[in-house]
Amino acid sequence: MPAATLLPFTAAPSRKSAGPTSSFRLTERFILLLVFSAFITLCFGAIFFLPDSSKLLSGVFFHSSAVETNTRTGTVSGSGSANDEKILAKIRKDHEDALTEAKDTLQKRPEEIKQEILKEKEKVLRDSLGPDGGDVDRLPPVEYQRPPGATGQEPPDPRTRERRAKVKEMMQHSWGGYKRYAWGANELRPISKQGHSSNLFGGLKGANIVDALDTLYIMEMYEDFDEATAWVEKNLDFSLNTEVSVFEVNIRFVGGLLSAYYLSGKDVFRRKAVELGERLLPAFKTSTGIPWALLNLKSGIGRNWPWASGGSSILAEYGTLHLEFMHLSKLSGNPEFAQKVMNIRKVLERLDKPHGLYPNYLNPNSGQWGQHHVSVGGLGDSFYEYLLKAWIMSDKTDEEAKKMYYDALQAIETNLIRKSSGGLTYIAEWKGGLLEHKMGHLTCFAGGMIALGADGAPGDQTGHQMELAAEIARTCHESYARTTLKLGPEAFRFDGGVEAIATRQNEKYFILRPEVIETFMYMWRFTHDPKYRDWGWEAVQALEQHCRVEAGYSGIRDVYATSPNHDDVQQSFYQAETLKYLYLLFSEDDHLPSDHWVFNTEAHPIYSLLREEHLTHTV
Ligand code: DMJ
């Protein structure tokens, strides 16, 4: 029998049989098809559309494990209608729950639904990583060895000992005020005695605590350190829908946590640092990999400061991630952190630099410079610092960083460094080829930086660079000495007949910044010239006289006024940097020695030797 007669509905009609007979067959086939489809529909209807039928069917036709389990445990007694009733009631309840859930979901805003889906996804990811939780809980174990010099000896000289003790008392006073009036807030308002926060941290909390951890440790305030550690363990939360400054969060939070880890060995700091680092990674999602300035920690959406030239990222911000991110890779075993910051270098290397200088603005999408403004102070400063420290931190193996640093310093010297008619060396700012003869308080860190790098300077430049560092230290000291309150202004000028003096009202404030004292500390360590300790002591006295208030220390609005007008903010860098550098200025050189420790730009000491043999993963 030909196959076609056996398969009437599927076989293609032969061309030869086309005609009236075949048309009758077609109708017949159509009717049969209809009957067959009606039958199929009926069967499916029975399964899917009859109320609550599926579960009943599963009990009848399939071996139901639920029923079996219940029977085994004796929870279903008897059989027949009582059992069916129970199952039907359960099915009805499931339906009602599903309906209520669907109704609730429909009432939610799309944004809320999106957040819930994200949460659910995170949970699934965490569950898939096992009972320990997320990635950070699964960090490779690291063999921790306390690096040398984490703690220091009392100085033998009584006067220095006394000065050092005084600085510790200042820290106790400052910390005490924060603890009492602003615990958990980002900063303290020491006059109004309440918490304070700037928009740099969005909804993040506890900047002061994280920024001060290492200072507490270094000054041996161990009880306070433990309290701060407990706060970090319980309350430091990064899973926030909030926008933060990538730079500030990196230098203060990541840097503070890394430092606390290297000093104390407590693994909570390593885990928190890596967790925060992971949250910062989406900032690098730009065409060039140059990160955004601002980032929402939850959504990972980044953007730049609206005031920055043509949507640019800022040199001092994207250029001040290197130290921390290299350590994050080391401590997490995840190479991504290091790759991100090494890429920043690559982008910069490919660009043409006007006169060898690095403009402060760079568009992260076009990869082009914005305005040609160059500064060793605000917007540029710590980029240069991190080139030098990247080289030192690599145990002096990172030749690329070394070259970039010394080349940049050469260009700065040629184009920006000038001497006033009164003999003060200063670092001016460069705007499209024109010099603005102004030096910021921020720029004063450069004395310390140049001193730190002098030793490795190419050719026979070491002596020259030490002299340059000393001259900058002197100029910055003059900027303090020439004020009424003996504290330095935010910026000082060398034009219009003045030298090292602020001439604009909006440049006369002092906000407890550390840079001048930072330079004194380095200069003391490299020269042991007692004038640096004396200059530091002058600053201590001025701080005590004009900034100390009942609940802590406050910035001042005008350092040329006869009495201080307080701004009511105790910046977190006061404890992180100013007091720490003062304490180290009056400490022995083997406390955090520079051959083992590198200070990040927020003065957080990080173990300097990143090479394999100094820090090993145990797996
Ligand atoms: C600190 O947060 C850091 O030192 C940063 O690099 C620049 N300025 C402040 C303190 O002045």
Side-chain angles (χ1 to χ4, degrees), residues 64-239:
S64 158
S65 61
V67 172
E68 187 186 52
T69 313
N70 286 345
T71 311
R72 272 192 201 140
T73 52
T75 51
V76 175
S77 57
S79 59
S81 63
N83 195 18
D84 291 353
E85 257 316 301
K86 231 173 172 179
I87 294 171
L88 281 170
K90 165 103 178 55
I91 290 166
R92 260 195 298 276
K93 188 166 177 317
D94 284 354
H95 277 217
E96 273 158 23
D97 288 352
L99 268 175
T100 324
E101 202 185 315
K103 222 166 95 192
D104 287 354
T105 309
L106 282 173
Q107 277 167 358
K108 283 182 186 152
R109 286 179 298 117
E111 200 38 49
E112 280 176 292
I113 299 174
K114 218 166 124 191
Q115 289 304 334
E116 276 178 16
I117 294 172
L118 276 177
K119 255 194 205 152
E120 198 54 36
K121 267 171 122 180
E122 272 175 24
K123 191 175 169 297
V124 171
L125 185 72
R126 262 202 312 276
D127 291 349
S128 74
L129 289 169
D132 289 350
D135 266 344
V136 277
D137 289 326
R138 291 164 54 88
L139 289 179
V142 164
E143 200 175 287
Y144 172 83
Q145 279 182 347
R146 178 162 291 105
T151 51
Q153 307 289 319
E154 290 258 295
D157 155 40
R159 195 170 69 146
T160 310
R161 214 165 40 232
E162 214 176 281
R163 288 175 169 184
R164 184 174 179 259
K166 174 65 196 166
V167 176
K168 180 169 175 177
E169 187 279 325
M170 292 165 81
M171 177 65 186
Q172 285 163 335
H173 178 64
S174 169
W175 176 256
Y178 169 76
K179 204 166 110 176
R180 178 147 182 215
Y181 299 110
W183 185 246
N186 284 325
E187 286 169 326
L188 164 73
R189 283 197 177 279
I191 310 273
S192 50
K193 298 180 179 166
Q194 55 182 322
H196 166 258
S197 189
S198 77
N199 61 354
L200 301 172
F201 311 114
L204 267 188
K205 295 269 177 289
N208 195 123
I209 296 179
V210 182
D211 232 1
L213 276 163
D214 53 6
T215 307
L216 295 171
Y217 192 94
I218 290 160
M219 294 188 186
E220 298 176 41
M221 294 168 63
Y222 296 128
E223 261 179 42
D224 295 301
F225 178 81
D226 288 345
E227 247 180 282
T229 305
W231 186 92
V232 167
E233 262 167 345
K234 282 196 215 96
N235 302 297
L236 186 58
D237 181 16
F238 307 126
S239 60

Side-chain angles (χ1 to χ4, degrees), residues 247-248 251-252 320 381-382 385 442 513-515 518 573 577 601-602:
F247 160 76
E248 293 290 353
I251 65 167
R252 300 194 203 203
T320 310
D381 47 9
S382 39
E385 176 186 355
L442 287 165
R513 284 199 193 278
E515 292 77 15
E518 176 181 351
F573 51 68
E577 299 192 69
T601 194
E602 187 77 1

Side-chain angles (χ1 to χ4, degrees), residues 546-601:
H546 305 301
C547 300
R548 187 171 178 135
V549 293
E550 198 192 311
Y553 291 80
S554 166
I556 287 173
R557 294 211 163 86
D558 181 352
V559 288
Y560 302 93
T562 43
S563 62
N565 180 1
H566 293 125
D567 68 5
D568 196 14
V569 180
Q570 178 177 279
Q571 307 277 345
S572 80
F573 51 68
Y574 181 60
Q575 291 175 9
E577 299 192 69
T578 314
L579 292 178
K580 187 187 290 141
Y581 283 134
L582 276 171
Y583 189 76
L584 293 173
L585 175 64
F586 302 122
S587 295
E588 296 296 280
D589 293 353
D590 59 3
H591 194 181
L592 301 172
S594 56
D595 50 348
H596 287 283
W597 296 87
V598 163
F599 291 92
N600 89 337
T601 194

Side-chain angles (χ1 to χ4, degrees), residues 291-307:
W292 299 112
L294 299 162
L295 178 78
N296 183 303
L297 290 180
K298 185 105 182 176
S299 67
I301 294 172
R303 68 182 176 110
N304 274 338
W305 296 107
W307 48 261

Side-chain angles (χ1 to χ4, degrees), residues 22-94:
S22 68
S23 111
F24 173 70
R25 271 197 198 131
L26 199 65
T27 317
E28 198 179 53
R29 281 177 194 180
F30 183 62
I31 289 164
L32 275 169
L33 183 65
L34 270 181
V35 171
F36 188 71
S37 345
F39 177 71
I40 299 281
T41 313
L42 207 70
C43 292
F44 273 94
I47 294 168
F48 294 108
F49 302 121
L50 291 178
D52 303 330
S53 55
S54 58
K55 296 221 171 168
L56 281 173
L57 285 171
S58 73
V60 174
F61 291 115
F62 309 113
H63 193 69
S64 158
S65 61
V67 172
E68 187 186 52
T69 313
N70 286 345
T71 311
R72 272 192 201 140
T73 52
T75 51
V76 175
S77 57
S79 59
S81 63
N83 195 18
D84 291 353
E85 257 316 301
K86 231 173 172 179
I87 294 171
L88 281 170
K90 165 103 178 55
I91 290 166
R92 260 195 298 276
K93 188 166 177 317
D94 284 354

